[in-house]
Every structure is written in C-alpha cells, then in structure tokens.
Amino acid sequence: MHHAYIDRFAQGHSPVHRLDARGKLLAVLAYSGVLISFNRYAVSELAAMVVMPLAMLWFGRVPVGFALRRVIILGPFILMLAMISPLYDTSLHPVVLGPWRFAIAGGFLTAADVAVKFALGVLALTAMTCTTPFALLLEAMRKLFMPKLLVMQLGFLYRYIFVLIDEAMRIRRARDFRGAAAAPPGRKLAAAGGVIGSLFVRTLERSERIHVAMGARGYRGEPHSLSRLHFGPGDVVFLIVTVAYLAACRLAYPLIL
Amino acid sequence: MAPILGMHMANELLSVPVAITMLALAAAAVSWATARAAKAADVEKLPVMGVMGAFVFAAQMINFPVLPGTSDHLVGGVLLAILLGPWAALVTMAAILIVQCLLFQDGGLLALGANIINMGGTAVIGWLLYRLILGPPAAARAWRQYLAAWAACLVAVALGATLVSLEAFTSGVLQIPLKDFVAVMVGVHLISGFAEGLITFAVLAFLRRVRPAALGLPVGQFASPGKAQKLSRKAFAASVLATSLLLAAVVSWFASTRPDGLEWSYRDHRYAGSAAAIRNDSPLVALADAWQDKWTVMRDYSRREAPLGQLPPEANKTAAGKSSWPNIDGWGSLAGLLGTAATLGVLYVLARWARRRDDARAAPNETG
C-alpha cells in the first residue's frame, strides 16, 4: 500500500494547493467553530455554509465525489446518534420555505442539523487535507501551536502507518493460511494475540533500527527541516475573505430575512 | 463491531464552550505527559514512539471473534499504556487521534480534545487499575494478569463512554436525558470493553512468553518457548459473570425510567390517529393513564413539554414558533437558498475557468 493512499490529491497543483498551510488550517478551524455554533433547529441557516467547502474542493481540483464518499463511510455512527433525538424532542417547530409552510418535530430538525453539520465538517476537513501535503500541515501545526515533539511523532506515525499495515496484512495472511478460520474460539483469540504480539515485536525492532539510522545521519534530538511555508499576499486575501464569509454566514443571516 | 460503535466524538455533538474546555484539558494533559515521558525515557527516542502509534493502526486491522458471528478488533489504549508506560502512551494516543482526524476525518477537529481525554486519559486510569491488581509483575500468575487486563479495559472503555455522554449532554445538541444516554453508551461499550480485555490479555500472554523484556520482566526467567501462559477457566468464568452482572445492572437502571413496550406502542398509535381502534373507555384506565403520563413526564430529565409521542397543545406550538425564530419569513429563507445556489454556480464556473487556465499554463512546460 502506498503511503499516500488517503491523501493522494494532496500532491496536486491548484490555487488552493498554493495557499499557505497555516492559513488553510486556521480557516478550517474557524469554519468548524462557526459551523457548530449554529442553533440546533436552524437547518436552513446552514445553507450558505455549503459554499466554502465546495469552493475549496472545486478550486483545489479534488473530486467532490471522493469527499462525499468519506462522508458516507464515516456517517453511520453519528447518524445513529442523531436519529435518537426525534424520540425525545417532540416539540413542534414551524418550517417555512417560500409558499410552503408546515410543522415538524424539533427532534427531526436536530437530527437533520447534526447530519448536515457532520457532512459539511467532513467536507471542509477533506478539502484541507486533500490540498495540503501532510508534511506541510505538520509544519504549520508546529509553527502555530503544537509542541515539536508531538509534531515529530506525527511525522513518524504518518510515515509508517502503511508500512506497518502491510506488515500486519502479511502476518494475518500467514495466520489465515495456517487454518486459523477453523480453529475453536479460544485458539482464534490466542492466534490474534500472537499476530498483534509479533507485530509489536517487529515494530519495536524496526523503531530501534530507525533510531540508529537517524543517529547515523546526525540526529541529536533536534529536527532539521527546510520550511516550505510562505505566507504571501494571496494568503492574506484568503483569510480576509474567509473571515468575512463566516461572519456573513453567522451574523447577517437574520438581516437578509 | 467496534468501528460501528466507535467512541470518536464528533464536532456536531459539542457546543463551542465544551469543545474549547476539552481542548484546553487535553493540551494540558498531553504537554504534562510529554514532560513526564521525556524524564522517564531517552529524549532522543521519543519521536520514534510515533512508530508505535502506527503499530496501533496496523493492529486494528487484525480481527478476532468475540461472540459467534461477530468480530472485533483492538482499540489499543490500555495495551499501549502497559507496553510504553502511561505518559508515552498518552502522547502516542494523542498522535493517533490527530492523524485519525486529519487523514481519515474520523472525529472532528474541534472534538480532538474530547477524544484525547476520552480515549487517552481513560487508558491511563485503566493502566493504574492494571498495576493495582497485578501487583509485582514478575510474580503475577496468568489469572491475575487476565483479571487485571480485563478490569483495566472494562473501566477505561466504560469511563470513556460515560465521558462521551457527559460531554454530549453538557453541550445540549441532542436532547437525550443524561441517564438514558449514559446507560445506552456504557451498556453497549461494556461488551466491547470485555473484548478489549480478552485481546489485550492474549497479546500480553504472547509477549510474556516471547519477549518478557517488553513487559519489564527479567529475561530468561519466564522464557519457556512452547509453553503458553494459559488462561484459567475460573478467571474467565468470573470475568464473564462480572461483566454480565454489570451489564444487567446498567440495563435495568435504564429500563426503570422507560415505559414498557405496550405503553410505548399505545402512545405511538394515539399519535398516528388510530386512537379509536385501541381505545379503552374505562374510567379506571383513563385514570391510570393520566397518572402514568403525569409521572413519566415529571420523572424525566428532558425539557420536553409534552409526553413522548403526543402532540403538544396548540398554545405550546405558537410559543415555540415565536421563541425559536423571531422574524420568520418564508420568502427570505427561500431567497437565501436561491442566493446560495447562485453563488455556488458562479464559483463552479470560476473554478472550471481557473482549472483550464492552469492546464493551459502547464501544457507547454510538459511538452518543452
């Protein structure tokens, strides 16, 4: 498995890719904050919030279908929770749209609200990670607020996820070839313990090798990086537009009505 | 099982104050843990812990059966705390959750703080319990190791589930009474906590045999290849019994506030308008029904004005309309929707144009 399986669009070229990772990170953070600050019955007020993630995806040349697939894969758990709320919240709320007006239970509005917010949140996050290489995102986090040590850990984590997933698949295949499917439950459990245990031992040895190799290349506890971040005029414009847009979505909506 | 019932908190279930509080708590906990871990271990080696985070990701690919027909996988918090020590484990869990959020969009950006506390913080508490029950590691017998792993995982998972419900309830997005929320979440997660205990023990038993040094045991003393540490039937039976009792306690606690199935369907049918079909005009029934309605409502934690499944009175409806949306105007909201659609259309055309321009600019470079 290639390590850029999930974020394969991040290496592309587009106006959104060229934006500074710090700006994008802050913008998506602000977007998420504004998104969850909407009232839980105000589904229709969320309409204007669709614009930013879609615009980022379109300008970033990320297929919207890819982002929507992420929403569908991750959706079930949150939808299950959201669908509980109609059982409890039966207060009626008027829904008025142009000439149509009808009343609906608040619980259904809340469920729809949670579902829409979830979808928009995932779209915005996907739009960011699909237009920013993970290394630049880490660099941005380090420059903004995150301790160096944690950022380095994240770097290793990202680098080795797919290496170790491949390793786990190999061990799992070996287990399955040896007829684990026919074993009684206790044996199966022991076999799974053995698989994970040997994966742990191999990981331990691998991390020792990596550490020695890093030492050989002059690592003394301080990361060295050639920062590729550049906060230019385009990024200033992007941030100003984002803030104005979010403020408009959040504050000006009652004025339009 | 576990991916569906995963405990990842989502942005949408949190209010801004709760999210920020949890982020601050998590930041404090992680920076403290980093300092502690740096003191305990070789500082140069700490970044390499990230590889251990990748190990947890990979270990989650290994499935195993719990109940017939279902399969579960490791979550890994308690195992990581046992193998790496609690502080390094907390930092690694934070790294795992950040990558899950950014690369896999699992759990929201603002919910990260809540997730780090719910899954990393509780693993540390589980680890404490593990050490308490285990006693000195070198002397621990198999049953003791099993019970320690079982209790640690059960407590960590149940605590995490309780925290999820508490955070969601405090945020007030879902109008679910706290008691119901806790009962359902903890009830469901007790089973996955039990499974987590089983697999954690299986891994520990394997490592004890193969790599005792990883568990802080003297090398050679326990290395007896070919002789696995066997789980005693008694310890296993005791853990199954205790888990079932806990589950039964949670379920009965939950059931005590809910109307039974018959009452529920009766109410549902009344709501659907088929009251005549199942109506019973006996005054005794009416009296009991009124009493039931009254007391069920009063016992409830929620702020709902009418009993479950019953249409609220007319006065209620207009009041709700007035208070929640002050200046409601259907044409304004329609205009808002149309405006959004128009904006999206313009942006889409612009994006197409930018893409074509980019391609045109890139083409000469590729050929030249």
Side-chain angles (χ1 to χ4, degrees):
Chain A
M1 210 183 263
H2 193 264
H3 77 277
Y5 171 69
I6 287 284
D7 54 343
R8 58 181 178 276
F9 297 106
Q11 312 295 334
H13 297 279
S14 81
V16 186
H17 283 87
R18 284 190 287 273
L19 288 173
D20 190 286
R22 283 167 290 186
K24 277 183 274 188
L25 190 61
L26 288 178
V28 170
L29 257 177
Y31 178 85
S32 312
V34 169
L35 189 64
I36 66 170
S37 75
F38 277 96
N39 184 286
R40 66 169 185 278
Y41 297 133
V43 188
S44 67
E45 289 179 25
L46 291 172
M49 293 295 280
V50 179
V51 174
M52 184 174 140
L54 277 188
M56 276 181 81
L57 289 172
W58 283 339
F59 281 101
R61 313 185 70 162
V62 180
V64 176
F66 173 80
L68 283 178
R69 219 168 303 137
R70 300 296 309 160
V71 176
I72 291 166
I73 291 171
L74 296 164
F77 174 62
I78 186 101
L79 274 184
M80 212 166 64
L81 274 181
M83 285 317 291
I84 300 174
S85 73
L87 294 180
Y88 289 96
D89 188 356
T90 52
S91 61
L92 279 184
H93 287 260
V95 175
V96 193
L97 185 67
W100 305 283
R101 42 179 65 228
F102 49 95
I104 193 169
F108 285 108
L109 279 180
T110 305
D113 181 69
V114 168
V116 171
K117 282 177 179 172
F118 170 74
L120 291 181
V122 172
L123 281 185
L125 208 53
T126 314
M128 178 182 73
T129 46
C130 284
T131 55
T132 320
F134 195 68
L136 286 186
L137 214 51
L138 288 183
E139 183 71 18
M141 283 194 267
R142 193 175 71 79
K143 287 248 163 90
L144 284 174
F145 45 75
M146 214 175 256
K148 222 176 351 185
L149 203 69
L150 190 55
V151 171
M152 286 200 66
Q153 279 217 5
L154 285 170
F156 277 102
L157 184 43
Y158 172 72
R159 173 65 185 80
Y160 285 99
I161 286 179
F162 293 107
V163 175
L164 290 185
I165 284 180
D166 276 351
E167 186 103 58
M169 295 296 194
R170 273 198 295 277
I171 307 176
R172 195 173 79 176
R173 207 175 307 135
R175 173 191 72 175
D176 294 344
F177 273 145
R178 286 161 179 78
R187 284 269 158 190
K188 267 185 197 157
L189 185 71
V195 169
I196 295 174
S198 21
L199 186 65
F200 176 76
V201 172
R202 290 190 196 185
T203 309
L204 208 62
E205 283 165 357
R206 189 189 287 274
S207 71
E208 290 286 335
R209 283 202 305 277
I210 295 166
H211 184 239
V212 170
M214 280 164 62
R217 286 161 180 77
Y219 173 75
R220 295 287 175 274
E222 276 292 312
H224 303 284
S225 73
L226 301 168
S227 177
R228 286 173 286 162
L229 293 182
H230 172 69
F231 203 85
D235 299 297
V236 177
V237 172
F238 171 67
L239 272 188
I240 290 174
V241 168
T242 305
V243 169
Y245 159 75
L246 290 177
C249 283
R250 190 70 191 88
L251 303 172
Y253 207 85
L255 299 179
I256 304 169
L257 286 182
Chain B
M1 196 151 87
I4 306 166
L5 309 171
M7 272 203 311
H8 281 86
M9 195 69 192
N11 281 348
E12 299 72 43
L13 301 181
L14 292 175
S15 67
V16 177
V18 174
I20 289 177
T21 311
M22 296 312 288
L23 274 173
L25 272 178
V30 170
S31 56
W32 193 60
T34 314
R36 286 297 299 264
K39 219 179 277 176
D42 190 354
V43 188
E44 281 181 26
K45 259 189 183 171
L46 271 182
V48 188
M49 297 276 197
V51 185
M52 280 299 155
F55 153 72
V56 173
F57 265 94
Q60 290 179 348
M61 312 292 292
I62 310 296
N63 53 333
F64 60 93
V66 184
L67 303 166
T70 68
S71 81
D72 203 348
H73 70 76
L74 181 80
V75 179
V78 174
L79 181 66
L80 213 52
I82 294 171
L83 293 177
L84 302 184
W87 311 120
L90 183 57
V91 181
T92 309
M93 281 303 280
I96 291 171
L97 289 164
I98 291 170
V99 166
Q100 274 178 343
C101 166
L102 288 179
L103 278 187
F104 299 88
Q105 287 93 34
D106 200 359
L109 206 53
L110 293 170
L112 255 180
N115 281 329
I116 290 173
I117 296 289
N118 296 350
M119 286 186 255
T122 54
V124 172
I125 291 174
W127 170 85
L128 262 178
L129 198 64
Y130 172 83
R131 291 309 293 259
L132 269 178
I133 296 177
L134 190 70
R141 304 272 300 275
W143 65 268
R144 201 162 182 159
Q145 181 133 39
Y146 171 69
L147 287 183
W150 166 78
C153 291
L154 209 62
V155 164
V157 170
L159 210 57
T162 311
L163 282 175
V164 167
S165 349
L166 267 177
E167 288 149 5
F169 177 76
T170 320
S171 300
V173 175
L174 293 182
Q175 295 282 289
I176 303 174
L178 180 60
K179 190 175 164 183
D180 292 10
F181 210 154
V182 171
V184 170
M185 283 298 279
V186 172
V188 163
H189 282 96
L190 274 179
I191 300 168
S192 67
F194 178 71
E196 179 78 2
L198 278 179
I199 189 70
T200 301
F201 170 75
V203 176
L204 291 177
F206 175 83
L207 287 177
R208 206 181 162 92
R209 186 156 54 93
V210 174
R211 191 59 67 99
L215 296 176
L217 297 170
V219 184
Q221 193 179 341
F222 289 93
S224 48
K227 189 163 169 277
Q229 195 182 25
K230 279 206 84 170
L231 170 57
S232 85
R233 262 170 214 283
K234 271 184 208 157
F236 180 69
S239 73
V240 171
L241 190 67
T243 313
S244 321
L245 282 177
L246 273 175
L247 198 58
V250 171
V251 168
S252 62
W253 182 57
F254 170 67
S256 66
T257 56
R258 298 256 61 87
D260 64 35
L262 209 60
E263 289 166 320
W264 190 300
S265 70
Y266 172 53
R267 281 154 187 242
D268 268 5
H269 282 286
R270 227 169 22 169
Y271 179 57
S274 57
I278 48 165
R279 200 153 97 202
N280 188 337
D281 284 327
S282 154
L284 194 66
V285 170
L287 202 68
D289 192 44
W291 187 87
Q292 170 89 32
D293 274 358
K294 201 170 161 192
W295 288 100
T296 313
V297 172
M298 285 188 67
R299 263 197 310 216
D300 215 57
Y301 283 69
S302 79
R303 273 166 277 167
R304 74 165 187 255
E305 294 107 321
L308 194 80
Q310 198 181 7
L311 281 167
E314 197 57 32
N316 211 333
K317 184 170 156 185
T318 49
K322 265 178 200 154
S323 63
S324 65
W325 287 346
N327 45 3
I328 189 148
D329 177 2
W331 296 105
S333 60
L334 189 65
L337 276 181
L338 291 178
T340 303
T343 314
L344 281 177
V346 171
L347 282 172
Y348 183 70
V349 171
L350 268 175
R352 288 291 297 267
W353 172 76
R355 187 177 298 188
R356 208 167 305 151
R357 202 197 48 179
D358 259 23
D359 286 345
R361 200 182 284 168
N365 295 345
E366 275 165 24
T367 50

